[in-house]
Amino acid sequence: QVQPVESGGGLVQPGGSLRLSCAVSASKSSTNDMTWYRQAPGKQRELVATITSGGSTNYADSVKGRFTISRDSAQNTMYLQMNSLKREDTAVYYCYAEVWTGGDYQVLQGYWGQGTQVTVSS
């Protein structure tokens, strides 16, 4: 089925930038909302940013003004531009995609990526 694949994580110094990507093996028209989550060690998974199929966005307060979520209009890929990174941003970042699946009778299902590690450290 659908398997979102994240990429772009790595080690960066505080104040640096990273750009995460999430490729979804589904058509753009079949993909509904897409969301970035993250989970730091010892903490619960939290919502970072979400973007609807129409391009509407929402951000966690902790990343507003620093992160930008977007979707590729040509390919079914979601991005997270992360600027002014802080040590508190260190976490595994997960892509979550809602996709309409099925033939004549479609159902909306959610799919998680495997996660990509982002480490902010000096």
Side-chain angles (χ1 to χ4, degrees):
Q1 293 183 333
V2 178
Q3 175 63 65
V5 179
E6 304 95 333
S7 61
L11 175 64
V12 65
Q13 293 183 339
S17 299
L18 284 174
R19 190 191 191 210
L20 305 183
S21 299
C22 173
V24 180
S25 58
S27 67
K28 182 179 180 180
S29 61
S30 297
T31 305
N32 202 44
D33 295 356
M34 299 181 71
T35 304
W36 285 103
Y37 288 84
R38 68 185 181 187
Q39 187 166 22
K43 299 181 66 177
Q44 290 187 314
R45 189 170 298 185
E46 64 177 348
L47 186 148
V48 177
T50 188
I51 184 168
T52 69
S53 60
S56 179
T57 60
N58 187 261
Y59 299 90
D61 289 340
S62 59
V63 306
K64 284 183 178 178
R66 300 187 298 119
F67 292 7
T68 302
I69 190 171
S70 61
R71 297 174 72 155
D72 193 311
S73 60
Q75 294 183 324
N76 206 21
T77 303
M78 176 177 66
Y79 303 96
L80 185 67
Q81 179 64 48
M82 310 164 68
N83 298 326
S84 302
L85 283 163
K86 305 175 181 179
R87 291 181 177 85
E88 303 84 77
D89 296 318
T90 296
V92 177
Y93 284 71
Y94 296 91
C95 174
Y96 180 77
E98 295 180 335
V99 181
W100 289 101
T101 60
D104 295 331
Y105 304 97
Q106 294 195 322
V107 60
L108 186 65
Q109 294 191 230
Y111 299 89
W112 288 97
Q114 81 288 352
T116 184
Q117 177 70 50
V118 172
T119 302
V120 185
S121 178
S122 59

